[in-house]
Amino acid sequence: MIELFYYDGTIKKGEFSLLDKRTKSSKVWIDVTDITMEESLALAKMFQLHPLTVEDLRHYQTRIKVEEFQNYLFCVFYGLKKDKKYSLQEIDFVLGKNFLITNHSGRIDSFEHVKKNLDIVLPSFRKGVDFVFHKLLDQEI
């Protein structure tokens, strides 16, 4: 499932079908839960993602890493998931000039909190998607 949030003075939630139009004029955060093959290929085409990045997005339990590509940075980190017991949850980040893609399996409580309270990331969006990346990572810790 893909959720799209874009900034054009305010933060708005949009449809994935509008993604191409939004990426040209706005800063966007695309949050993907349980990515499908179709979604990974669409994102790869739109953001010119390297095949190895696409592969890592589709397979969880990737090692922690930061990889630099020509037009984006790919990062894999782990957060703590609290169910009946604690476990690690992989979170992938693709950080480009005007876009941030987050990818994970299942729900991330801190991300859901941000999505319900978008004012939390409004100051970050004003500064750039790199600040949104930092805010989301900071919320998870």
Side-chain angles (χ1 to χ4, degrees):
M1 178 177 86
I2 293 181
E3 292 181 276
L4 168 67
F5 301 90
Y6 63 95
Y7 175 78
D8 62 1
T10 62
I11 302 175
K12 298 176 184 164
K13 186 171 181 178
E15 296 297 320
F16 181 61
S17 59
L18 299 175
L19 186 58
D20 190 40
K21 294 174 185 166
R22 296 290 171 219
T23 57
K24 304 222 184 310
S25 61
S26 303
K27 299 170 190 166
V28 296
W29 168 34
I30 300 127
D31 185 51
V32 186
T33 304
D34 301 317
I35 196 166
T36 65
M37 175 72 82
E38 180 182 89
E39 291 168 340
S40 67
L41 295 175
L43 291 170
K45 182 178 179 183
M46 186 162 298
F47 295 103
Q48 302 169 359
L49 302 181
H50 191 278
L52 292 175
T53 300
V54 176
E55 183 180 334
D56 282 342
L57 290 173
R58 288 198 307 250
H59 298 96
Y60 296 105
Q61 298 183 338
T62 304
R63 63 181 170 77
I64 293 172
K65 62 180 164 181
V66 176
E67 295 178 330
E68 185 177 5
F69 291 88
Q70 185 175 354
N71 61 334
Y72 65 90
L73 192 66
F74 178 65
C75 307
V76 178
F77 297 112
Y78 283 82
L80 210 55
K81 186 172 186 171
K82 303 167 197 162
D83 286 329
K84 294 179 181 176
K85 56 183 178 177
Y86 290 97
S87 61
L88 293 176
Q89 183 172 23
E90 181 178 329
I91 309 169
D92 306 324
F93 296 89
V94 181
L95 177 62
K97 182 178 179 182
N98 288 319
F99 68 90
L100 173 65
I101 301 168
T102 52
N103 176 58
H104 47 87
S105 67
R107 174 186 163 96
I108 297 179
D109 290 337
S110 63
F111 283 23
E112 293 304 314
H113 176 72
V114 169
K115 289 180 210 175
K116 289 178 185 170
N117 304 286
L118 289 171
D119 288 342
I120 292 172
V121 290
L122 182 59
S124 301
F125 260 111
R126 285 184 184 128
K127 295 176 186 176
V129 291
D130 49 339
F131 284 86
V132 177
F133 165 69
H134 179 268
K135 187 68 170 179
L136 291 171
L137 198 55
D138 195 43
Q139 291 284 317
E140 184 54 25
I141 295 174

